[in-house]
Amino acid sequence: MNLHVRGTILPDGVTRDLWVLGDRITFERPRVESETVARGGFVLPGLVDVHTHPGAAEDGGFDGELFGEQVAAHREAGTALLRFPGLSGTVPDAVREAVGAPRMITAGRWLAWAGLSRKAEFHTVTEELAQAAAAEAVAHDGWCKIMGDWDFEAPPVPYDVMRAVVEAVHAVGGRVAAHCQSADGVLNAARAGIDSIEHGMGMPEESLGFMAANGAAYVPTLTAFAGSRAEVAARGTARSRVWLAGHDTMIRRVGEAHDAGVTVLAGTDSAPFGNVASEVGHLVAAGLPADVAVGAASWRAREFLGLPGIEEGGLADLTVYEADPRREPAVLAHPRRIVVRGQVVR
């Protein structure tokens, strides 16, 4: 059965009818009968979480069953597109190809340069970081994930190594996401032309100009950091004070990044899953205009990742809300109707 939706289409703000034919959108009324699944309200391209790690087991490994459960939580919240910047295992085909499953962009394993001073169990450590990064981008969905640094105090991956990674990945048509926490790590990644900087704790202001010039995105994952702040503050150690100062900096950089022309995107990082609406709230609190924050989890994120929004022939991912989320961002947590890949989820 074809689907019919009438509502105010965002971000354009025009009220009109659209139809879902399979996994595509059309504004031309089909000759066959269609089921009206939404009339009135505000219609967004399906939500996007650009930084999430479902399936991460407590031991640092990958749990395929848990992955399926957490992806389902994303879908039930209206999140129709997920980017995984680093997974410890392989996405189960049964989950990825299931009817109504969110679209998924993988980036392969977390790649760590052998020169980093500290390595986690889930990192894949290599001397040949550029070669490994290019291979991951080719093997997955055009993205790879590297660790730009690890500790706050230790030197990050050197600029020349980062630049070699960018050149190698771009040469095969891929893009690079970099985990960065320290100021030097962020600056090296920004200067090297990294495509997205994840977290960015301690981000120096001068990095914003490089990011804007290179078309890089900033994915601060504020939800995850906000959940850890009270625990870190209670420690009262020198290291915790560095963490807190870095957290303050990354919050301040959100609005400054937008003002500098950097694309800011919404990613939640970890549990609870299906919680990208909370990230939008944190982005607004950090100074991002509400409409920009909503776009960071919808149309702008899709554009950055190379997917269309609500347009003729576009993908059939829709969420419908009673109120305009550009004016009431909290409504994102309460979708009235969810369509993912042309299938009614709610």
Side-chain angles (χ1 to χ4, degrees):
M1 172 69 73
N2 299 323
L3 307 178
H4 166 245
V5 172
R6 180 172 177 79
T8 302
I9 310 299
L10 298 184
D12 296 339
V14 177
T15 300
R16 62 188 307 187
D17 297 275
L18 65 82
W19 288 265
V20 172
L21 308 180
D23 188 22
R24 290 293 184 270
I25 292 168
T26 182
F27 295 109
E28 297 184 10
R29 182 191 297 271
R31 295 181 179 180
V32 296
E33 182 179 357
S34 301
E35 177 188 359
T36 298
V37 295
R39 188 178 295 279
F42 294 83
V43 187
L44 268 70
L47 299 181
V48 183
D49 192 325
V50 302
H51 186 124
T52 180
H53 302 294
E58 292 184 3
D59 62 0
F62 182 79
D63 185 326
E65 182 176 351
L66 182 62
F67 176 89
E69 294 172 359
Q70 293 172 341
V71 165
H74 277 299
R75 183 193 64 228
E76 295 300 318
T79 313
L81 174 59
L82 306 170
R83 185 185 65 150
F84 310 132
L87 285 180
S88 298
T90 302
V91 175
D93 289 341
V95 178
R96 185 164 190 163
E97 298 171 5
V99 174
R103 303 176 202 278
M104 304 177 197
I105 296 175
T106 62
R109 304 163 294 172
W110 282 272
L111 297 176
W113 180 57
L116 283 177
S117 62
R118 178 182 172 192
K119 308 171 184 72
E121 293 179 359
F122 55 87
H123 295 169
T124 298
V125 180
T126 176
E127 294 279 0
E128 302 296 335
L129 188 61
Q131 180 179 345
E136 290 295 287
V138 170
H140 294 90
D141 296 303
W143 279 89
C144 65
K145 170 70 173 291
I146 67 170
M147 307 302 295
D149 54 28
W150 188 245
D151 338 48
F152 298 118
E153 299 88 356
V157 177
Y159 166 78
D160 60 343
V161 175
M162 296 287 275
R163 183 60 193 167
V165 168
V166 171
E167 290 177 348
V169 174
H170 286 183
V172 298
R175 293 199 278 179
V176 186
H179 165 109
C180 294
Q181 300 278 53
S182 68
D184 288 343
V186 173
L187 185 57
N188 280 355
R191 289 179 57 224
I194 291 292
D195 298 286
S196 71
I197 290 181
E198 317 295 310
H199 316 305
M201 180 174 281
M203 176 182 286
E205 188 173 1
E206 63 183 302
S207 64
L208 298 178
F210 293 109
M211 294 172 69
N214 293 324
Y218 177 32
V219 188
T221 63
L222 297 176
T223 298
F225 283 83
S228 302
R229 185 175 180 106
E231 177 186 347
V232 173
R235 296 173 190 163
T237 64
R239 184 173 177 81
S240 68
R241 287 190 287 273
V242 172
W243 190 100
L244 294 170
H247 185 216
D248 290 339
T249 297
M250 66 192 293
I251 292 173
R252 187 166 62 252
R253 292 289 180 258
V254 168
E256 293 173 349
H258 170 66
D259 292 343
V262 176
T263 297
V264 179
L265 299 179
T268 58
D269 197 358
S270 54
F273 294 87
N275 198 30
V276 76
S278 71
E279 184 68 12
V280 172
H282 284 297
L283 291 174
V284 172
L288 210 61
D291 61 328
V292 176
V294 173
S298 182
W299 57 84
R300 186 65 186 93
R302 287 177 173 269
E303 179 184 0
F304 181 79
L305 294 173
L307 277 73
I310 300 177
E311 59 188 60
E312 183 65 37
L315 300 174
D317 300 332
L318 308 168
T319 49
V320 184
Y321 300 92
E322 294 288 352
D324 187 344
R326 298 172 301 176
R327 295 178 173 81
E328 301 178 37
V331 77
L332 289 178
H334 307 286
R336 188 178 81 189
R337 181 69 75 187
I338 300 170
V339 177
V340 179
R341 296 196 191 199
Q343 303 293 316
V344 177
V345 174
R346 179 190 302 174

